[in-house]
Amino acid sequence: MRFVAFIREYSLLLLGGALTGLIWANLSPLNYHHFIESVLADDSIVGQLHDGRRTLTLHYLINDLLMALFFAMAGKEVWEAVALKGGALRGRKALTPLIATAGGVIGPICVYLLGAMLIGQMSDLGRGWAIPTATDIAFSYLVGRLVFGARHPAVAFLLLLAIADDAVGLIILAIFYPTGELQPLWLVFSFAMAGAAWLLFNRLPRLLDGADPLKPRATWIRDRLSFWPYLVFGALCWWGFQQAGIHPALGLLPMIPAIPHADARFGRPEGGPDLLNRMEHALKPFVDVILFFFGLANAGVQLSAMGAATWLVLAGLLIGKPLGIALMGWIAARPLGLGLPEGMRMTDLAVLGCVAAVGFTVALFVAGVAFPSGHEHQDSAKMGALLSFAAAILALAAGRLFRVEKRA
């Protein structure tokens, strides 16, 4: 069990999948791409739309269907941080991380687009502007602990920033990278399904129970139906996103607020786990396996693919993100007077910006969306996302330079 926990904590399945894909694609590129793009169903109800019909490939299954569970877990963290009582991104304490997050998004975009303009390839590479805005929560957190130690206030600051960064990334994906022509009625359908699930299986039972402390109806639904209604309605939400032309990997997000959470007394024993967190706990091992296949399916690029997009993505992450976070964080802490957490220095903020430059998972995902399959710059941009691990070396060096006081 300790070995499994170690693998999960350090995201070794994701890293292992990425390394496997990278090695396979360089040793036998034709065999690799034949496997990843293999057709599972030629005329399916789910899949990539071609000439009026959908083709389900292994790549689509991983990136568009299974990765919806990963983004649902990321969305759950954002939802709890923003909407629930005592959420980490609520109130004055969250203002400095939020403003620093804005810098961590704007900085990479400016560096990427300025670089594309300077080399005269804005028309070819402009679509990749969102790739370096990503911060990989898992890996940046691990690097943060190496640099600062587990109990340094900068680690909690980093987590708030990464969660907010995820929220911005989800919005960017939904708005700027549609998978087809937008169909608003299907989007309405998705949100209607989430609303129906919330009303029928969450709100209505509690209304019918009234002041009854035993909450018999809500308890019956919790014990007898458990997560099944949300699974069914979640599938309908995902279907609506696919039909709406919005990336279906985001299709489970409307369901997150509909699931009973810690702020709702939903017929559960006092102090017991809420359904939202129970579902996350049950899904975590499955999502870890999905991330292995995501790494396998998306990191398979040939080393010879390095090009202009590689350096633009790297510059956005390694230069734009640290500068943006440090600058906007300083503006929030000093001129705006919002301050930093107790025990955290301005130089720690600069080091934190380097830690947040690890893009990897979400950067790989956005690269695959920004540049469609077969695009000449897709592999080059993905290589930039893979090389963003250099941010870990940069962060460790910055930590030594600024004499970070490590707190284990």
Side-chain angles (χ1 to χ4, degrees):
M1 289 300 293
R2 289 182 62 184
F3 177 71
V4 173
F6 177 84
I7 288 176
R8 289 171 58 183
E9 180 182 359
Y10 290 91
S11 302
L12 292 186
L13 282 175
L14 171 61
L15 192 57
L19 286 173
T20 302
L22 187 63
I23 294 169
W24 189 355
N26 280 275
L27 292 178
S28 180
L30 290 178
N31 182 268
Y32 169 81
H33 288 290
H34 178 74
F35 174 76
I36 296 301
E37 298 298 338
S38 57
V39 176
L40 305 179
D42 196 29
D43 193 359
S44 174
I45 59 173
V46 300
Q48 192 69 39
L49 187 62
H50 293 291
D51 301 323
R53 67 178 189 177
R54 295 189 178 275
T55 301
L56 178 62
T57 62
L58 180 61
H59 189 273
Y60 187 94
L61 176 67
I62 294 168
N63 274 37
D64 297 66
L65 205 162
L66 295 178
M67 279 296 285
L69 295 174
F70 168 80
F71 283 107
M73 290 180 65
K76 180 257 185 187
E77 297 299 326
V78 174
W79 164 250
E80 288 190 329
V82 172
L84 304 189
K85 294 175 184 176
L89 297 181
R90 293 185 67 167
R92 185 181 175 86
K93 65 182 179 182
L95 290 178
T96 302
L98 286 175
I99 294 171
T101 299
V105 172
I106 296 169
I109 293 173
C110 291
V111 169
Y112 182 96
L113 291 179
L114 178 62
M117 187 168 56
L118 288 176
I119 63 175
Q121 294 192 43
M122 179 67 81
S123 58
D124 292 335
L125 296 170
R127 275 186 58 84
W129 60 268
I131 300 170
T133 63
T135 293
D136 190 294
I137 290 182
F139 286 113
S140 63
Y141 173 67
L142 293 173
V143 174
R145 286 183 60 174
L146 285 174
V147 175
F148 294 105
R151 295 191 178 275
H152 198 289
V155 174
F157 190 103
L158 173 68
L159 281 176
L160 296 184
L161 184 146
I163 290 170
D165 191 277
D166 263 11
V168 174
L170 295 175
I171 293 169
I172 288 174
L173 274 173
I175 296 176
F176 295 101
Y177 295 106
T179 57
E181 185 178 348
L182 184 63
Q183 303 290 336
L185 287 179
W186 279 109
L187 194 59
V188 171
F189 170 82
S190 286
F191 282 94
M193 292 300 99
W198 173 81
L199 180 62
L200 294 174
F201 305 103
N202 186 338
R203 183 61 179 164
L204 185 60
R206 289 187 285 123
L207 284 176
L208 294 174
D209 284 335
D212 189 339
L214 296 178
K215 302 191 181 298
R217 295 172 181 83
T219 300
W220 185 90
I221 286 179
R222 183 202 69 194
D223 293 342
R224 298 296 181 89
L225 300 183
S226 186
F227 62 87
W228 288 106
Y230 303 101
L231 179 65
V232 172
F233 280 84
L236 293 173
C237 273
W238 182 91
W239 169 264
F241 265 61
Q242 177 191 245
Q243 301 300 106
I246 296 178
H247 205 290
L250 308 178
L252 296 180
L253 294 181
M255 285 300 302
I256 303 300
I259 301 171
H261 52 73
D263 279 3
R265 300 283 181 236
F266 192 76
R268 63 187 180 90
E270 192 65 31
D274 57 85
L275 184 59
L276 184 59
N277 279 285
R278 282 168 49 205
M279 290 177 69
E280 180 195 34
H281 184 73
L283 285 172
K284 182 67 170 68
F286 185 50
V287 170
D288 287 335
V289 175
I290 290 171
L291 286 176
F292 171 85
F293 287 103
F294 171 79
L296 176 68
N298 291 273
V301 295
Q302 292 180 272
L303 297 177
S304 60
M306 286 194 292
T310 306
W311 310 121
L312 290 178
V313 171
L314 266 183
L317 284 167
L318 301 186
I319 300 173
K321 191 170 280 285
L323 287 178
I325 289 173
L327 177 61
M328 294 300 288
W330 175 82
I331 290 173
R334 295 291 187 263
L336 296 182
L338 298 173
L340 292 172
E342 185 178 351
M344 185 173 169
R345 308 169 301 162
M346 288 303 304
T347 51
D348 293 334
L349 186 63
V351 177
L352 185 146
C354 298
V355 175
V358 180
F360 198 52
T361 310
V362 181
L364 271 177
F365 189 89
V366 177
V369 175
F371 299 114
S373 182
H375 193 285
E376 60 176 319
H377 295 301
Q378 188 191 76
D379 284 358
S380 179
K382 285 184 176 182
M383 186 62 72
L386 291 172
L387 293 177
S388 70
F389 275 113
I393 300 171
L394 183 64
L396 289 167
R400 286 185 173 273
L401 177 66
F402 291 110
R403 298 181 179 178
V404 167
E405 182 185 346
K406 191 170 182 179
R407 302 180 192 177

